[in-house]
PDB file of all heavy atoms in Angstrom:
ATOM      1  N   ALA B 329     158.545 -87.138  88.136  1.00  0.00           N
ATOM      2  CA  ALA B 329     158.393 -85.634  88.120  1.00  0.00           C
ATOM      3  C   ALA B 329     157.283 -85.275  86.983  1.00  0.00           C
ATOM      4  O   ALA B 329     156.506 -84.558  87.308  1.00  0.00           O
ATOM      5  CB  ALA B 329     159.630 -84.982  87.823  1.00  0.00           C
ATOM      6  N   VAL B 330     157.406 -85.986  85.925  1.00  0.00           N
ATOM      7  CA  VAL B 330     156.387 -85.747  84.770  1.00  0.00           C
ATOM      8  C   VAL B 330     154.991 -86.132  85.355  1.00  0.00           C
ATOM      9  O   VAL B 330     154.071 -85.388  85.168  1.00  0.00           O
ATOM     10  CB  VAL B 330     156.787 -86.484  83.612  1.00  0.00           C
ATOM     11  CG1 VAL B 330     155.774 -86.361  82.396  1.00  0.00           C
ATOM     12  CG2 VAL B 330     158.137 -86.137  83.125  1.00  0.00           C
ATOM     13  N   ALA B 331     154.908 -87.316  85.885  1.00  0.00           N
ATOM     14  CA  ALA B 331     153.617 -87.753  86.377  1.00  0.00           C
ATOM     15  C   ALA B 331     153.116 -86.918  87.455  1.00  0.00           C
ATOM     16  O   ALA B 331     151.818 -86.563  87.411  1.00  0.00           O
ATOM     17  CB  ALA B 331     153.778 -89.216  86.988  1.00  0.00           C
ATOM     18  N   GLU B 332     153.910 -86.516  88.374  1.00  0.00           N
ATOM     19  CA  GLU B 332     153.528 -85.650  89.483  1.00  0.00           C
ATOM     20  C   GLU B 332     152.962 -84.290  88.900  1.00  0.00           C
ATOM     21  O   GLU B 332     152.002 -83.725  89.208  1.00  0.00           O
ATOM     22  CB  GLU B 332     154.699 -85.278  90.402  1.00  0.00           C
ATOM     23  CG  GLU B 332     154.421 -84.304  91.439  1.00  0.00           C
ATOM     24  CD  GLU B 332     153.268 -84.617  92.445  1.00  0.00           C
ATOM     25  OE1 GLU B 332     152.952 -85.795  92.512  1.00  0.00           O
ATOM     26  OE2 GLU B 332     152.930 -83.590  93.075  1.00  0.00           O
ATOM     27  N   GLY B 333     153.781 -83.741  87.927  1.00  0.00           N
ATOM     28  CA  GLY B 333     153.330 -82.430  87.373  1.00  0.00           C
ATOM     29  C   GLY B 333     152.034 -82.491  86.599  1.00  0.00           C
ATOM     30  O   GLY B 333     151.055 -81.548  86.726  1.00  0.00           O
ATOM     31  N   LEU B 334     151.959 -83.524  85.863  1.00  0.00           N
ATOM     32  CA  LEU B 334     150.681 -83.785  85.105  1.00  0.00           C
ATOM     33  C   LEU B 334     149.537 -83.923  86.086  1.00  0.00           C
ATOM     34  O   LEU B 334     148.369 -83.534  85.804  1.00  0.00           O
ATOM     35  CB  LEU B 334     150.858 -84.930  84.159  1.00  0.00           C
ATOM     36  CG  LEU B 334     151.549 -84.694  82.964  1.00  0.00           C
ATOM     37  CD1 LEU B 334     151.695 -85.953  82.077  1.00  0.00           C
ATOM     38  CD2 LEU B 334     150.885 -83.586  82.096  1.00  0.00           C
ATOM     39  N   ARG B 335     149.757 -84.681  87.193  1.00  0.00           N
ATOM     40  CA  ARG B 335     148.649 -84.958  88.122  1.00  0.00           C
ATOM     41  C   ARG B 335     148.031 -83.618  88.767  1.00  0.00           C
ATOM     42  O   ARG B 335     146.838 -83.297  88.701  1.00  0.00           O
ATOM     43  CB  ARG B 335     149.140 -85.816  89.155  1.00  0.00           C
ATOM     44  CG  ARG B 335     148.087 -86.410  90.163  1.00  0.00           C
ATOM     45  CD  ARG B 335     148.665 -87.313  91.280  1.00  0.00           C
ATOM     46  NE  ARG B 335     149.711 -86.454  92.151  1.00  0.00           N
ATOM     47  CZ  ARG B 335     149.313 -85.588  92.993  1.00  0.00           C
ATOM     48  NH1 ARG B 335     147.998 -85.484  93.269  1.00  0.00           N
ATOM     49  NH2 ARG B 335     150.218 -84.955  93.732  1.00  0.00           N
ATOM     50  N   ARG B 336     148.939 -82.753  88.991  1.00  0.00           N
ATOM     51  CA  ARG B 336     148.545 -81.447  89.467  1.00  0.00           C
ATOM     52  C   ARG B 336     147.900 -80.534  88.488  1.00  0.00           C
ATOM     53  O   ARG B 336     146.844 -80.020  88.755  1.00  0.00           O
ATOM     54  CB  ARG B 336     149.834 -80.654  90.032  1.00  0.00           C
ATOM     55  CG  ARG B 336     150.163 -81.047  91.323  1.00  0.00           C
ATOM     56  CD  ARG B 336     151.020 -79.923  91.978  1.00  0.00           C
ATOM     57  NE  ARG B 336     151.712 -80.318  93.147  1.00  0.00           N
ATOM     58  CZ  ARG B 336     152.511 -79.670  93.920  1.00  0.00           C
ATOM     59  NH1 ARG B 336     152.860 -78.484  93.413  1.00  0.00           N
ATOM     60  NH2 ARG B 336     153.077 -80.092  94.957  1.00  0.00           N
ATOM     61  N   LEU B 337     148.399 -80.650  87.277  1.00  0.00           N
ATOM     62  CA  LEU B 337     147.858 -79.997  86.179  1.00  0.00           C
ATOM     63  C   LEU B 337     146.377 -80.469  85.825  1.00  0.00           C
ATOM     64  O   LEU B 337     145.445 -79.619  85.677  1.00  0.00           O
ATOM     65  CB  LEU B 337     148.719 -80.052  85.005  1.00  0.00           C
ATOM     66  CG  LEU B 337     148.671 -79.089  83.821  1.00  0.00           C
ATOM     67  CD1 LEU B 337     148.722 -77.610  84.410  1.00  0.00           C
ATOM     68  CD2 LEU B 337     149.658 -79.369  82.932  1.00  0.00           C
ATOM     69  N   GLN B 338     146.286 -81.824  85.909  1.00  0.00           N
ATOM     70  CA  GLN B 338     144.937 -82.290  85.602  1.00  0.00           C
ATOM     71  C   GLN B 338     143.961 -81.924  86.533  1.00  0.00           C
ATOM     72  O   GLN B 338     142.717 -81.807  86.097  1.00  0.00           O
ATOM     73  CB  GLN B 338     145.087 -83.737  85.430  1.00  0.00           C
ATOM     74  CG  GLN B 338     143.925 -84.317  84.534  1.00  0.00           C
ATOM     75  CD  GLN B 338     143.835 -85.866  84.696  1.00  0.00           C
ATOM     76  OE1 GLN B 338     144.472 -86.463  85.600  1.00  0.00           O
ATOM     77  NE2 GLN B 338     143.359 -86.447  83.696  1.00  0.00           N
ATOM     78  N   ARG B 339     144.360 -81.737  87.814  1.00  0.00           N
ATOM     79  CA  ARG B 339     143.366 -81.460  88.761  1.00  0.00           C
ATOM     80  C   ARG B 339     142.817 -79.925  88.479  1.00  0.00           C
ATOM     81  O   ARG B 339     141.703 -79.549  88.937  1.00  0.00           O
ATOM     82  CB  ARG B 339     143.899 -81.595  90.181  1.00  0.00           C
ATOM     83  CG  ARG B 339     143.253 -82.798  90.808  1.00  0.00           C
ATOM     84  CD  ARG B 339     143.540 -82.922  92.249  1.00  0.00           C
ATOM     85  NE  ARG B 339     144.894 -82.855  92.528  1.00  0.00           N
ATOM     86  CZ  ARG B 339     145.556 -82.543  93.620  1.00  0.00           C
ATOM     87  NH1 ARG B 339     144.813 -82.090  94.567  1.00  0.00           N
ATOM     88  NH2 ARG B 339     146.722 -82.705  93.866  1.00  0.00           N
ATOM     89  N   ARG B 340     143.714 -79.112  87.976  1.00  0.00           N
ATOM     90  CA  ARG B 340     143.427 -77.679  87.796  1.00  0.00           C
ATOM     91  C   ARG B 340     142.634 -77.595  86.481  1.00  0.00           C
ATOM     92  O   ARG B 340     141.688 -76.560  86.399  1.00  0.00           O
ATOM     93  CB  ARG B 340     144.673 -76.957  87.811  1.00  0.00           C
ATOM     94  CG  ARG B 340     144.643 -75.772  88.501  1.00  0.00           C
ATOM     95  CD  ARG B 340     146.129 -75.041  88.390  1.00  0.00           C
ATOM     96  NE  ARG B 340     146.658 -74.751  89.562  1.00  0.00           N
ATOM     97  CZ  ARG B 340     146.371 -73.783  90.233  1.00  0.00           C
ATOM     98  NH1 ARG B 340     145.386 -72.853  89.937  1.00  0.00           N
ATOM     99  NH2 ARG B 340     146.954 -73.578  91.465  1.00  0.00           N
ATOM    100  N   ALA B 341     143.005 -78.426  85.576  1.00  0.00           N
ATOM    101  CA  ALA B 341     142.509 -78.069  84.149  1.00  0.00           C
ATOM    102  C   ALA B 341     141.317 -78.826  83.756  1.00  0.00           C
ATOM    103  O   ALA B 341     140.805 -79.757  84.392  1.00  0.00           O
ATOM    104  CB  ALA B 341     143.485 -78.412  83.107  1.00  0.00           C
ATOM    105  N   HIS B 342     140.591 -78.454  82.737  1.00  0.00           N
ATOM    106  CA  HIS B 342     139.489 -79.171  82.152  1.00  0.00           C
ATOM    107  C   HIS B 342     139.988 -80.423  81.665  1.00  0.00           C
ATOM    108  O   HIS B 342     139.532 -81.531  81.912  1.00  0.00           O
ATOM    109  CB  HIS B 342     138.784 -78.230  81.325  1.00  0.00           C
ATOM    110  CG  HIS B 342     137.565 -78.881  80.622  1.00  0.00           C
ATOM    111  ND1 HIS B 342     136.415 -79.241  81.315  1.00  0.00           N
ATOM    112  CD2 HIS B 342     137.351 -79.135  79.227  1.00  0.00           C
ATOM    113  CE1 HIS B 342     135.479 -79.776  80.430  1.00  0.00           C
ATOM    114  NE2 HIS B 342     136.049 -79.758  79.355  1.00  0.00           N
ATOM    115  N   ARG B 343     140.802 -80.337  80.708  1.00  0.00           N
ATOM    116  CA  ARG B 343     141.448 -81.465  79.989  1.00  0.00           C
ATOM    117  C   ARG B 343     142.861 -81.391  79.739  1.00  0.00           C
ATOM    118  O   ARG B 343     143.325 -80.115  79.540  1.00  0.00           O
ATOM    119  CB  ARG B 343     140.730 -81.579  78.551  1.00  0.00           C
ATOM    120  CG  ARG B 343     139.252 -82.021  78.602  1.00  0.00           C
ATOM    121  CD  ARG B 343     139.183 -83.429  78.930  1.00  0.00           C
ATOM    122  NE  ARG B 343     137.633 -83.878  78.741  1.00  0.00           N
ATOM    123  CZ  ARG B 343     136.828 -83.794  79.689  1.00  0.00           C
ATOM    124  NH1 ARG B 343     137.194 -83.258  80.777  1.00  0.00           N
ATOM    125  NH2 ARG B 343     135.585 -84.109  79.541  1.00  0.00           N
ATOM    126  N   VAL B 344     143.665 -82.392  79.912  1.00  0.00           N
ATOM    127  CA  VAL B 344     145.108 -82.233  79.459  1.00  0.00           C
ATOM    128  C   VAL B 344     145.275 -83.285  78.362  1.00  0.00           C
ATOM    129  O   VAL B 344     144.915 -84.433  78.407  1.00  0.00           O
ATOM    130  CB  VAL B 344     145.962 -82.711  80.720  1.00  0.00           C
ATOM    131  CG1 VAL B 344     147.455 -82.688  80.321  1.00  0.00           C
ATOM    132  CG2 VAL B 344     145.710 -81.853  81.774  1.00  0.00           C
ATOM    133  N   VAL B 345     145.859 -82.672  77.268  1.00  0.00           N
ATOM    134  CA  VAL B 345     145.816 -83.455  75.987  1.00  0.00           C
ATOM    135  C   VAL B 345     147.454 -83.481  75.538  1.00  0.00           C
ATOM    136  O   VAL B 345     147.971 -82.406  75.528  1.00  0.00           O
ATOM    137  CB  VAL B 345     145.090 -82.927  74.766  1.00  0.00           C
ATOM    138  CG1 VAL B 345     145.224 -83.629  73.606  1.00  0.00           C
ATOM    139  CG2 VAL B 345     143.659 -82.746  75.115  1.00  0.00           C
ATOM    140  N   TRP B 346     147.984 -84.571  75.210  1.00  0.00           N
ATOM    141  CA  TRP B 346     149.368 -84.752  74.857  1.00  0.00           C
ATOM    142  C   TRP B 346     149.335 -85.181  73.354  1.00  0.00           C
ATOM    143  O   TRP B 346     148.705 -85.932  72.903  1.00  0.00           O
ATOM    144  CB  TRP B 346     150.007 -85.771  75.646  1.00  0.00           C
ATOM    145  CG  TRP B 346     151.419 -85.899  75.450  1.00  0.00           C
ATOM    146  CD1 TRP B 346     152.144 -85.971  74.422  1.00  0.00           C
ATOM    147  CD2 TRP B 346     152.462 -85.732  76.610  1.00  0.00           C
ATOM    148  NE1 TRP B 346     153.523 -85.918  74.605  1.00  0.00           N
ATOM    149  CE2 TRP B 346     153.745 -85.793  76.003  1.00  0.00           C
ATOM    150  CE3 TRP B 346     152.374 -85.694  77.944  1.00  0.00           C
ATOM    151  CZ2 TRP B 346     154.983 -85.766  76.705  1.00  0.00           C
ATOM    152  CZ3 TRP B 346     153.537 -85.455  78.735  1.00  0.00           C
ATOM    153  CH2 TRP B 346     154.760 -85.656  78.145  1.00  0.00           C
ATOM    154  N   LEU B 347     150.043 -84.195  72.674  1.00  0.00           N
ATOM    155  CA  LEU B 347     150.243 -84.557  71.226  1.00  0.00           C
ATOM    156  C   LEU B 347     151.665 -84.896  70.933  1.00  0.00           C
ATOM    157  O   LEU B 347     152.528 -84.202  71.178  1.00  0.00           O
ATOM    158  CB  LEU B 347     149.938 -83.206  70.333  1.00  0.00           C
ATOM    159  CG  LEU B 347     148.671 -82.521  70.435  1.00  0.00           C
ATOM    160  CD1 LEU B 347     148.592 -81.401  69.407  1.00  0.00           C
ATOM    161  CD2 LEU B 347     147.600 -83.389  70.129  1.00  0.00           C
ATOM    162  N   ASN B 348     151.854 -86.091  70.516  1.00  0.00           N
ATOM    163  CA  ASN B 348     152.996 -86.779  70.405  1.00  0.00           C
ATOM    164  C   ASN B 348     153.412 -87.033  68.909  1.00  0.00           C
ATOM    165  O   ASN B 348     152.661 -87.721  68.241  1.00  0.00           O
ATOM    166  CB  ASN B 348     153.105 -88.059  71.166  1.00  0.00           C
ATOM    167  CG  ASN B 348     154.573 -88.553  71.308  1.00  0.00           C
ATOM    168  OD1 ASN B 348     155.304 -88.362  70.379  1.00  0.00           O
ATOM    169  ND2 ASN B 348     154.604 -89.327  72.445  1.00  0.00           N
ATOM    170  N   PRO B 349     154.374 -86.403  68.358  1.00  0.00           N
ATOM    171  CA  PRO B 349     154.741 -86.519  66.968  1.00  0.00           C
ATOM    172  C   PRO B 349     155.165 -88.006  66.637  1.00  0.00           C
ATOM    173  O   PRO B 349     155.122 -88.468  65.484  1.00  0.00           O
ATOM    174  CB  PRO B 349     155.855 -85.653  66.701  1.00  0.00           C
ATOM    175  CG  PRO B 349     156.447 -85.333  68.111  1.00  0.00           C
ATOM    176  CD  PRO B 349     155.396 -85.484  69.200  1.00  0.00           C
TER     177      PRO B 349
END
Side-chain angles (χ1 to χ4, degrees):
Chain B
V330 178
E332 169 64 16
L334 284 174
R335 193 180 57 78
R336 278 197 188 181
L337 200 52
Q338 201 190 22
R339 255 194 295 159
R340 223 179 236 280
H342 177 65
R343 293 279 186 274
V344 180
V345 181
W346 191 302
L347 302 184
N348 193 331

